[in-house]
Amino acid sequence: MVTQFQVDAAQNGETANRSADKFVIAGREFRSRLIVGTGKYKSGEETARAIAASGAEMVTVAVRRVNLDRSKESLLDFIDPKKYFLLPNTAGCYTADDAIRAARLGREVGLSDWVKIEVIGDERTLYPDVQGTLEATRILVKEGFTVLPYTSDDIVFAKRLVDAGAAAIMPLGAPIGSGMGIQNVASIRIFREMITTVPLIVDAGVGTASDATIAMELGSDGVLMNTAIAAAEDPVLMAEAMRHAVTAGRFAYLAGRMKKKLYATASSPLEGMVK
């Protein structure tokens, strides 16, 4: 019999025994392994409803795209900082200097001393400038920031980011906003094997719930997404689907899938059959 506690735990992305499977970044524990963005929604109200449906606790906000002086309606009017952990990001920055400046601005206006670093290297693909990302990470870590860098699936640079003090590694699964799903399965598996001291969070490329499940089944500690929810025909319903998808993928990873076989195996044993 499934208890209400177990149902509630599953809906929040938890196992009944949470102590055995914690999602911790820089010493802070989160119940949900889904991190959501706040761009591309039709309205602030829709943003708030989708975030609530996702069950996410951590929400990213672009420092350069938010009205920080609050003189007019702002995205921040729809996100309760007492309920959600705000993660400023440096979206739209094309140099390390710009990203560093945006991170400092986010901290100065009281958003957070955490930052998701994005240094874009190519305008068409929005692939990260890994060298610029590494430079920004090193400087901001020294200034006391908790840095979560968006990066390519280059394991060499990922290790350098860890050495520089990154609190998590966030490789793309496919180009930002493409919705193509996880296109680099082998790379994510390599990351999972070799990145063990900080969380591994797949960032970018998810298009639908099955993509999020695959990311988690590969062993990712979390998934960050925005467009997959915001651009859906029903963003609120898609947000709820993503909530369950991340939970399902995590449970499947922990459970350990069966081995694939070339030939069939009977589900029922032949021994003891009535002849």
Side-chain angles (χ1 to χ4, degrees):
M1 178 179 179
V2 177
T3 67
Q4 186 60 46
F5 171 79
Q6 290 171 315
V7 172
D8 292 341
Q11 289 177 342
N12 285 314
E14 305 169 4
T15 61
N17 182 13
R18 278 191 56 217
S19 62
D21 184 39
K22 294 182 178 180
F23 181 38
V24 179
I25 305 175
R28 185 183 181 103
E29 183 178 344
F30 297 90
R31 293 188 302 275
S32 174
R33 292 174 180 272
L34 175 60
I35 304 169
V36 296
T38 51
K40 302 183 180 181
Y41 287 96
K42 299 180 182 69
S43 66
E45 289 83 358
E46 183 181 73
T47 305
R49 290 171 56 221
I51 292 173
S54 75
E57 295 170 279
M58 186 185 295
V59 178
T60 69
V61 292
V63 175
R64 298 182 66 176
R65 296 172 184 163
V66 173
N67 177 31
L68 297 173
D69 64 15
R70 311 301 290 275
S71 61
K72 55 184 179 180
E73 184 177 272
S74 168
L75 173 64
L76 299 178
D77 295 329
F78 300 93
I79 305 172
D80 184 355
K82 295 179 180 178
K83 183 176 181 180
Y84 300 107
F85 184 83
L86 298 184
L87 177 65
N89 71 56
T90 63
C93 293
Y94 284 81
T95 68
D97 286 343
D98 282 348
I100 293 167
R101 191 176 303 112
R104 289 169 177 165
L105 176 60
R107 180 163 68 178
E108 287 172 6
V109 299
L111 286 179
S112 180
D113 59 1
W114 286 43
V115 63
K116 177 196 168 189
I117 281 293
E118 295 182 30
V119 181
I120 300 302
D122 180 76
E123 189 170 1
R124 185 174 183 183
T125 64
L126 299 182
Y127 267 53
D129 177 341
V130 288
Q131 188 62 54
T133 301
L134 180 58
E135 179 184 346
T137 298
R138 283 176 174 156
I139 292 173
L140 291 172
V141 167
K142 289 179 181 178
E143 294 183 7
F145 282 89
T146 297
V147 182
L148 287 69
Y150 160 68
T151 185
S152 67
D153 58 0
D154 184 330
I155 190 62
V156 175
F157 264 94
K159 287 181 176 181
R160 291 176 184 173
L161 287 166
V162 173
D163 291 341
I169 295 298
M170 306 176 75
L172 54 78
I176 292 175
S178 68
M180 292 194 297
I182 310 303
Q183 297 296 301
N184 51 356
V185 169
S187 295
I188 300 300
R189 283 178 172 161
I190 291 171
F191 266 58
R192 177 66 291 164
E193 287 189 13
M194 302 184 74
I195 302 296
T196 58
T197 58
V198 298
L200 173 64
I201 302 170
V202 169
D203 178 9
V206 168
T208 190
S210 57
D211 300 329
T213 300
I214 289 171
M216 296 303 295
E217 287 179 347
L218 290 170
S220 300
D221 295 297
V223 180
L224 190 155
M225 65 182 73
N226 184 180
T227 309
I229 296 176
E233 292 184 15
D234 186 335
V236 177
L237 187 57
M238 182 60 80
E240 185 171 353
M242 293 300 188
R243 175 180 184 171
H244 295 297
V246 169
T247 299
R250 182 62 181 177
F251 284 5
Y253 173 72
L254 294 175
R257 67 158 290 144
M258 64 172 286
K259 293 182 179 180
K260 295 181 180 180
K261 293 176 288 187
L262 182 61
Y263 297 103
T265 302
S267 298
S268 300
L270 299 179
E271 293 80 4
M273 291 184 64
V274 178
K275 297 182 180 180

